[in-house]
Amino acid sequence: GGITIPPRFNVAVPFIDRHLAEGRGAKAAIRTASETVSYAALARRVDATGRALQARGLRPGDRMLMIVKDCPAFFYLFWGAIKAGIVPVPVNTLLRAADYAYMIDDSGCGLLAWSPEYAAEVEPALAQLGSKAPPALKVTDDASIGADAAGPTLEPHLAAPTDDCFWLYSSGSTGRPKGAVHRQRDMVVASEFYGVRTLGVTETDICYSAAKLFFAYGLGNAMTFPLWAGGTAVLDPARPTPASTFDNVETFRPTLYFGVPTLYAAQLAALEARQVGFGSVRACVSAGEALPADIFRRWQEKTGTIILDGIGSTEMLHIFLGNRLDDYRPGTSGRAVPGYTAEIRDPDGNRVQPGDSGRLWMKGESAAAYYWNKPEKTAQTMVGGWLDTGDTYRQDADGYFIYEGRSDDMLKVGGIWCSPVEIEGCLIGHPAVLESAVVGRADADGLVKPQAFIVLKPGQDGGATLTDALMARCKQSLAPYKYPRWVEYVSELPKTATGKIQRFKLRG
Ligand code: 3UK
């Protein structure tokens, strides 16, 4: 069934304060390498931070941009703001000064909270903005955000479930980032429908996400899901590597692990040389881009755990099509998550015939209300309660959703739509291949054919023999027109900060 949200509420109450009323005060809400934060301490620090933000002059509706690493203060700032009616806007910490200057300006934020680690990009951004720069708050420790102040509790600012609550910037493959404005109810909806009803998150879960909190995927994985269920979040500020993620799995014994395909591939390579105890992990989750079936298979072989692939987006907040422990098919995005409705449409907006490809539109109550300052983008993407994902999908005979690429990455080869992801999946199955990206390239006749860029595993040679073998492999297992006519060996693929291959950068 649905979920009931009171007509006036503040979402910090069910995510933070409720746990005290339910007797979880002494329980660990957050664990890091150096500290454990109980639910009682979390609630206190959220209140103190909210009061500190009010004391700096922030009022309900004002935005606070956050360039903050994964650490407990991220939680205090995010929830302290929300409890006071202030709108937090966590942004990608891997961006450059020009990106930050744009987001500070676009959001019109009244405060910038930032971790000193990012000074090399944040300081020039502020300098570039000159007199338009907002006040900045350097997040060095709890005291810097006022969280050491013992004081009265913070009165929650009441709002309607559909009122603005927080934003996330969505970085499409083209154009400037867009601020997706999320509502009070959105975290409740995503946590309940994906967290609880799909993954079965409970208060016994320990959630560890290699994907960072600034990414909507990480924000759900390592903050909203455990807080919604009364579980524990594990935070590590470092950039994830196979070694650091393995260390964290062994130290914190998470029950749920969240990664992205690129990292799973790198971890698999590292598992050749290291044994890692995944015994605590009841499920691994993958999102951000499609997880090739071959990675699923090898991961299961090596670790004994399965990876649940699911597709989510910044606009929908979290995963809306996903595999489940009790219903999964490798190489697919699974089925619609409860509470969400999917439609695959043709270019005229009609539903395609079963089995045909088309553009995926989604409906669900966690969808962003609009893009800030971008009425045209809003009107194109959010239509009649539906969200255009910009992704091409088809359903197999059993109804599992199969990802075929960003709508703008799809190739027409010989007049037939051809999915780069499908070809990449075949190439990745070859033992010499670590990663691949396929794009369209015009042949001598000006006709588009697939071209493959390949990153090899260490010690492998990219010569003519391997190229022939890769082409033969594709010819054998894919429709004949789909084999790559050119194979190029490269040391790495262009990726976004969240690990998505930027195929547009490879197009000639
Ligand atoms: C692509 C996938 C195939 C797809 C996200 C989980 O990735 C997230 O959000 P973004 O806004 O990007 C959205 C786009 O990424 N994508 C994501 N997951 C998959 N493609 N299979 C997948 N499993 O193009 C989508 O439109 O960065 C992921 C939860 C929250 C998120 N925001």
Side-chain angles (χ1 to χ4, degrees), residues 168-171 215-218 221 261 286-291 309-321 332-333 389-391 393 403 405-406 498 500:
L168 294 169
Y169 272 92
S170 147
S171 46
F215 184 21
Y217 178 46
N221 303 339
S286 176
E289 60 180 332
L291 182 80
D309 188 8
I311 175 178
S313 72
T314 305
E315 287 79 356
M316 201 51 112
L317 189 55
H318 215 275
I319 291 173
F320 48 81
L321 299 180
T332 79
S333 307
T389 64
D391 294 302
Y393 264 90
Y403 180 72
R406 289 294 300 170
T498 52
K500 282 189 240 305

Side-chain angles (χ1 to χ4, degrees), residues 456-467:
L456 291 171
K457 289 186 185 156
Q460 297 292 332
D461 255 345
T465 318
L466 180 59
T467 297

